[in-house]
Amino acid sequence: GAGVSQSPSNKVTEKGKDVELRCDPISGHTALYWYRQSLGQGLEFLIYFQGNSAPDKSGLPSDRFSAERTGGSVSTLTIQRTQQEDSAVYLCASSRRQGSNTEAFFGQGTRLTVV
Amino acid sequence: AQTVTQSQPEMSVQEAETVTLSCTYDTSESDYYLFWYKQPPSRQMILVIRQEAYKQQNATENRFSVNFQKAAKSFSLKISDSQLGDAAMYFCAYRIPWNSGNTPLVFGKGTRLSVIA
């Protein structure tokens, strides 16, 4: 498809389990972002990948959170030993680096519910 | 650190009327981009309008326009002739140009807009 694809769309997991959230960015986009949106709240920055540069991990809330981006394309956000406060919508976005078009294109997010 | 503030958690407007959503930001940069994104119940974030800080002319996109006041660090969104489909969360966002550093988009907390028929 032409847009940013995230999977799964919804995920229910038991407290203490690990989860993996996937993001497939738009082809050719070198920048990829993960954000977390708690119920009715704004977007909390988690991590940012830009090409081959070291990722900006400054937004990750704890060491239970990690992310990788393989081959400069698909990214996986992993949450270990999930807690109820991890319940949120996790949004992924991608954008081009070159040129003046800095618009970020978003996926539809993964709604994570920890029970 | 850059911050974006949206002081109106909720707003409402009558259909066909005009509404203005406020956004202020804090930065020491002189060149940057500002954005308004819309998030309907589907969760899909959609770019509404974009403004480059070096451009003095306010951006417009059909019924959407901005009032960009660089000195005041203010970037408000005006929606004219409001329609039921405009009901959504609206987020103001900021970033610096790529050649100034690798930084993510910084978002405000959002304004929930209701449109009354």
Side-chain angles (χ1 to χ4, degrees):
Chain A
V4 177
S5 177
Q6 290 188 248
S7 60
S9 180
N10 292 282
K11 175 73 175 178
V12 180
T13 189
E14 292 181 353
K15 179 180 171 181
K17 300 279 191 185
D18 297 353
V19 294
E20 286 189 351
L21 312 181
R22 177 188 168 104
C23 173
D24 201 341
I26 293 172
S27 178
H29 282 193
T30 58
L32 187 148
Y33 315 78
W34 283 98
Y35 290 88
R36 177 168 71 174
Q37 186 177 24
S38 300
L39 185 63
Q41 299 299 308
L43 276 71
E44 175 190 6
F45 165 69
L46 297 177
I47 189 169
Y48 165 53
F49 296 90
Q50 174 55 273
N52 296 321
S53 302
D56 178 354
K57 303 179 181 181
S58 60
L60 294 178
S62 78
D63 59 8
R64 296 186 296 105
F65 288 73
S66 63
E68 61 179 22
R69 189 178 183 191
T70 54
S73 182
V74 172
S75 177
T76 302
L77 176 69
T78 301
I79 309 174
Q80 295 178 310
R81 305 180 302 281
T82 51
Q83 304 294 313
Q84 287 186 331
E85 60 262 29
D86 299 335
S87 296
V89 174
Y90 289 81
L91 290 166
C92 175
S94 71
S95 63
R96 273 196 291 245
R97 179 190 173 96
Q98 301 304 322
S100 62
N101 184 348
T102 60
E103 174 183 355
F105 295 82
F106 283 80
Q108 289 194 290
T110 294
R111 181 180 298 281
L112 175 67
T113 304
V114 182
V115 297
Chain B
Q2 294 89 1
T3 58
V4 177
T5 302
Q6 293 179 248
S7 59
Q8 305 152 314
E10 296 183 356
M11 292 282 284
S12 62
V13 61
Q14 293 279 349
E15 197 175 5
E17 296 294 312
T18 296
V19 65
T20 298
L21 308 184
S22 300
C23 173
T24 59
Y25 56 94
D26 186 22
T27 184
S28 58
E29 302 287 339
S30 60
D31 192 18
Y32 47 87
Y33 295 93
L34 295 163
F35 307 84
W36 278 98
Y37 279 87
K38 170 185 177 181
Q39 187 183 42
S42 68
R43 299 201 309 243
Q44 181 73 60
M45 296 279 282
I46 302 164
L47 179 67
V48 174
I49 198 164
R50 169 178 48 217
Q51 174 82 42
E52 290 92 340
Y54 62 85
K55 290 187 177 179
Q56 294 186 341
Q57 185 172 7
N58 288 325
T60 62
E61 287 286 344
N62 301 313
R63 297 183 295 107
F64 299 88
S65 61
V66 298
N67 183 4
F68 174 47
Q69 301 289 329
K70 191 172 184 179
K73 297 180 183 176
S74 171
F75 182 60
S76 60
L77 174 69
K78 185 171 83 171
I79 306 174
S80 304
D81 185 26
S82 297
Q83 300 176 359
L84 295 177
D86 295 334
M89 282 288 285
Y90 286 82
F91 292 97
C92 179
Y94 160 102
R95 81 170 314 279
I96 59 176
W98 296 116
N99 58 5
S100 299
N102 288 324
T103 63
L105 275 171
V106 178
F107 285 87
K109 292 191 180 296
T111 296
R112 183 175 302 280
L113 178 67
S114 300
V115 180
I116 303 165

